[in-house]
Amino acid sequence: MGGLEKKKHERGAATNYITRNKARKKLQLSLADFRRLCILKGIYPHEPKHKKKVNKGSTAPRTFYLIKDIKFLLHEPIVNKFRDYKVFVRKLRKAYGKAEWGTVERLKDNKPVYKLDHVVKERYPTFIDALRDLDDALSMCFLFATFPRTGKCHVQTIQLCRRLTVEFMNFVIASRSLRKVFLSIKGIYYQAEILGQLITWIVPYSFAHDHPTDVDYRVMATFTEFFTTILGFVNFRLYQSLNLLYPPKLENKPEDSVLKQEDEEKYAMDSESYMEKLAALGASLARVVSSNEEDDGAPDEFPADGENAELLEERQKEQQILEKQKKLFEGMKFFLNREVPRESLAFVIRCFGGQVSWDKSLCIGAAYLVTDETITHQVVDRPNLDKQFINRYYIQPQWIFDSVNGKTLLPVEDYFLGVSLPPHLSPFVEEKDGDYIPPEKLKLLAIQRGESTYENESQSEEEDEEDQESEDEADDDMDETEKQDEARLKNMEAQKVKRNKLNVKVTAGTVKTENKAQASQREQAEEKRLAIMMMKKKEKYLYNKIMFGKKRKVRETNKLAAKRKAHDDGLKAEKKKSKKIKSQ
Amino acid sequence: MAAESMSAAGERSGKGGRSKRPAPDTGLEEKDQLPIFENAALDEAEDGGDLTDSDESLFSGLEDSGSDSGGEGDNDGEEEEEEEGVDDDGRGVEEKSMKDKFSKLDVKDIRNTVGNIPMEWYKDYPHIGYDLDGKKIYKPIRNKDELDEFLDKMENPDYWRTVPDKMTGTDIRLTDEQIDLVHRIQRGQYGDTKFDPHEPSVDFFTHETMIHPVTNHPAHKRSFIPSLIEKEKVSKLVHAIKMGWIKPRKPRDDTPLYYDLWAREDPNAILGRHKMHVPAPKLKLPGHEESYNPPPEYLLTEEEKLAWEHQEPEERKLNFLPRKHASFRAVPAFSRFIHERFERCLDLYLCPRQRKMRVNVDPEDLIPKLPKPKDLQPFPTTQALVYTGHTNLVRCISASPSGQWLASGSDDCTVRFWEVCTARCMRTIEVEGTVRGIAWNPNPALCLVALTVDQSIIIVNPCLGDKFLCNATDQLITSFEKPEEVPVQPVEWTAAEGETFEKGFRLIIKHNKLVKQVTWHGKGDYLATVIPDNGNAQVLIHQLSKRRSQNPFRKNKGMVQCVLFHPIRPFFFVATQRYVRVYNLLKQELTKKLLTNCKWVSSMAVHPGGDNVICGSYDSRLAWFDLDLSTKPYKVLRHHKKALRGVAFHKHYPLFASASDDGTVIVCHGMVYSDLLQNPLIVPVKLLRGHEITRDLGVLDVTFHPTQPWLFSSGADCTIRLFT
């Protein structure tokens, strides 16, 4: 073994990691700049496998970066721009102080700017990578787009975020790639499938934000800087893939209604209204090559054999369902009342091929009026409405979301005006066996399977039950007295038997017939118990942990089921009561 | 230069006083212009000229224009005011001059010369200023009071168009044109109805340089000499450019903001960095409980809500309270939305990431595959008999070598002898003290039982079974003859006599300290005792035939828990708290020291083959040693939940059992192969329950039947149980 022996912490894992402070010193950056750089370049700490080894024997809590990452940051052009910017700010301050306005002008003209294009390309070498990581970008941009134009962050950023999100929504509409929507108490979750990637984002409800004080907006702004860049490039690419113009242009249809044109005239300047019209999500986008839309022919079919055939069939089935879902609202005409959130509903409806309009005073781009006879559904979110048209359904907004998630048009009766709504379920939950499935989900699954009778059956069952119960009730009064009598009789009998038993007598023992299956089961259980005893300590720990998790799951499921049952029972009891009162 | 200044002048004049110049195309309009404009234009044109001159010209100009107001020329008093307006734009001038106009109308000759002063300075004087001749202008007699004013307002149809003139103090009635003018100005239109603000401007001068200068001045000298200052400045700039201090402005980056970044997407361009890249985990997708209208079972009850509120925010399973809203419009904004996004941001760039391989383990696969207990029969499976009679916990039991009798010692100061098959108590011997250990002599030709009662060991002949055998035993004991020289003994041997002999006592070995355990050698002649508090002499070995005792060890090596003779070879096992030492009695040396890895050894048993030892310990472990393999346990079994009290090997069957305070006895199959390469097979085969736990004690001792696969156990519930 020749060569010098290396010291203890100069080889192995310790050489691959560097602490944050050391990294910062190596890069000669302030903490704030280091943070910004890390955010932009996507550098994050790594948890070493053996922390003590990396930490040179100490157990102090430190964050470690990969040394390769830091070296990679060393020759980043943005770092120089940071320094330039610092110098620029210093110069500008000086010029202001001396009131040299000419210098100020000149400096401002030469303000150092940096671009993040290369960073995006570096972090996401392929387009799919970028799509995969779009979740956070979208959520953040949607949040920033709702910020007020005061304080907090630059107005340009907010405007850019709004523009990008609107563009993205328009793309989702054009490509019909929305899959799931969920109204949570936090905001609205959307899930779209773009190029096979599932992208989920959350949009806050459109209320003014209560801006918290314990949030560092600079960090968020830095993230947004990167997110807007990536979202812009992704948008460009997506628009290109659909042969749409970018920046998006609205399709000019000659048969546009008079209503629209009137609107446009009254509205502000063209350039301003354009963005808003785009944001209204009412019209479709112009294409580079005007082509009839649905002409991509069915994919070629290849003869498949054996197992593949089944798979293929399954896939085809899925595809069919998907196609059906995409055209869910085709041929329907919606009208949004003033009180419903316009943007989310218009977005969802248009994503599934429906036509939508709204009150003219609400937003630009309303296609038709309330009085239009051809409207099929009017979305209303108030207890009642004075003037109603006969030939359209008045539904609550949840119907649209539930239908989308259920992939079929649900019966509208449950969602009429003023009706108490059925629960809104999360479409993201996929129940495995053993998990608790709420009864509403079961119902939905039955509808999807095409068993429209499920509901009726259950209803009729309920009715039957009710009938029985009512009969029972009638019998109850009789029963009580009878029962008491019976109990008394039984008691007497038991006493008699006891008295008999006092006379000691040897009775022939009855042969216990042991249930064979039960016995074998018991045996097996014992065998298992004994085998568990023989497990190694490590495995036993793991086994216990797994079993604990399983048991907890079962416990939770049971708890939910019990809660539901209690709730349903309570409802039934109330119903009964009200019935009784009515009958009286 | 001359041309330049000329064109500048032209521009100036072109702004306001276009009409003043006798240009052929503008001349026509001149007539139609309102006097006001005329006025202003004139002022501008004559800017800086003599005041009186301008008055004249103004007057004449007004006359020229031929406007309706004939006598307006005589308000020279206004002139100063107009001076101010000159510098402003045309608008300001217009307005000012308008006011003047109103005053000019009615008052004929009066021109106030006081100038632009606040008129309240003349408030207390009868006059209001001076006219051109320097005479006082008196205020008109005003005897109008409020009432007159009111009447005037009611009756005079022109009241709304009468305006007081501050300069002269008189009332002026506005003409229709003037009112029209006011209206137009109010509307923001030009005063002149016919004026077209958008008419194309025509340069008064031609843009070509004319050969004749406009002025007749000779050119100044400086216009011929290049400026030194300029030169200096230029040379500075040139120098700076040369030195590279001034750089040409960078061309603006004209790439569009967004373009097809992935146009030349190269899958091979993936950097090495990306191999180490750990993509951020996606956020968890929301479940039913997050819905604005969740199913009722997902809503929290009052207690759960309270518990949720009392929890630390980090500990909460849900970071929000599920709520039900009757309709979509009732859903409020989520107050922690920005927080959540911010936390996500922090996670993205601050949280250390690590790739964890999570193997999906089927728990069933973890369970080791063992031979089925059924195939390993025989072993005790069911409780067959219960031996009741003791009134206190039964500390020790021992089965006779024939397997017919069972002896048990208890805390109630009795020793009972039972018939194994019938559970009948054959004899009860009362002793003075608790019986801590009992051991039946393994020699089948003898019928002796050794008991430890407090500080003594009593050798008892129970007189059970073969009378002949009992008598032979008695004879053997009585045939002892005292040797001539009595060696010094650590203990005192006495033969029982009289009443105690009747009880069955044969020999009493008196120690001076408490005796804990007694055990026989396989041949039945030697017996070893453990006296824990006896200093160096913790272990004593007694020889029955010679009634001799000796202390085998010179040194105390820790508290001895129990001792055992090797069944075949002359080895002696001594278990201290943590180690088991194996001594060779012939060579008188330590052969092995077994490390039990336990805190406190409670019991020990040796396999009949002699190569395997099991140790039970109070920390609920059972260690199996293979003496040929290592000094460390071959296997440590942690089957029991509480301290182990006793362990036992079966003489013939590959079985061993352990008794514990948790009230159970576990029977294991412990097969030892004669092939040295094969490790012993240990399989737990049965978990026997039966003893009840009393005073935190469960099963205290366990022993096997010498021939049958049966097991005796004694417990703290005063019973002895037989499992078959």
Side-chain angles (χ1 to χ4, degrees), chain A residues 517-533 543, chain B residues 364 367 373 686-687:
Chain A
Q518 226 170 17
S520 71
Q521 221 172 19
R522 210 183 309 139
E523 212 164 83
Q524 267 179 0
E526 196 178 333
E527 251 172 56
K528 201 174 156 187
R529 213 164 40 229
L530 291 170
I532 286 168
M533 277 206 259
Y543 180 83
Chain B
E364 297 301 319
I367 298 173
K686 192 68 191 174
L687 200 149

Side-chain angles (χ1 to χ4, degrees), chain B residues 376-384 399 402-403 420 648-657 665 667-669 685-686 688 702-713 721-724:
Chain B
L376 300 177
Q377 268 166 349
F379 54 82
T381 51
T382 48
Q383 181 181 309
S402 59
V420 167
F649 263 115
H650 197 280
K651 277 226 170 96
H652 304 298
Y653 292 100
L655 290 174
F656 66 91
V665 176
V667 183
C668 297
H669 176 87
V685 286
K686 192 68 191 174
L688 299 170
V702 67
T703 182
F704 276 103
H705 191 276
T707 49
Q708 298 292 324
W710 295 351
L711 182 111
F712 303 98
S713 67
R721 286 162 202 259
L722 169 69
F723 296 94
T724 55

Side-chain angles (χ1 to χ4, degrees), chain B residues 94-110:
Chain B
E94 279 166 35
E95 255 180 292
K96 280 241 172 73
S97 54
M98 274 249 309
K99 243 187 215 162
D100 306 338
K101 197 96 322 168
F102 307 144
S103 58
K104 276 174 214 162
L105 289 173
D106 284 12
V107 186
K108 284 290 171 198
D109 243 331
I110 308 164

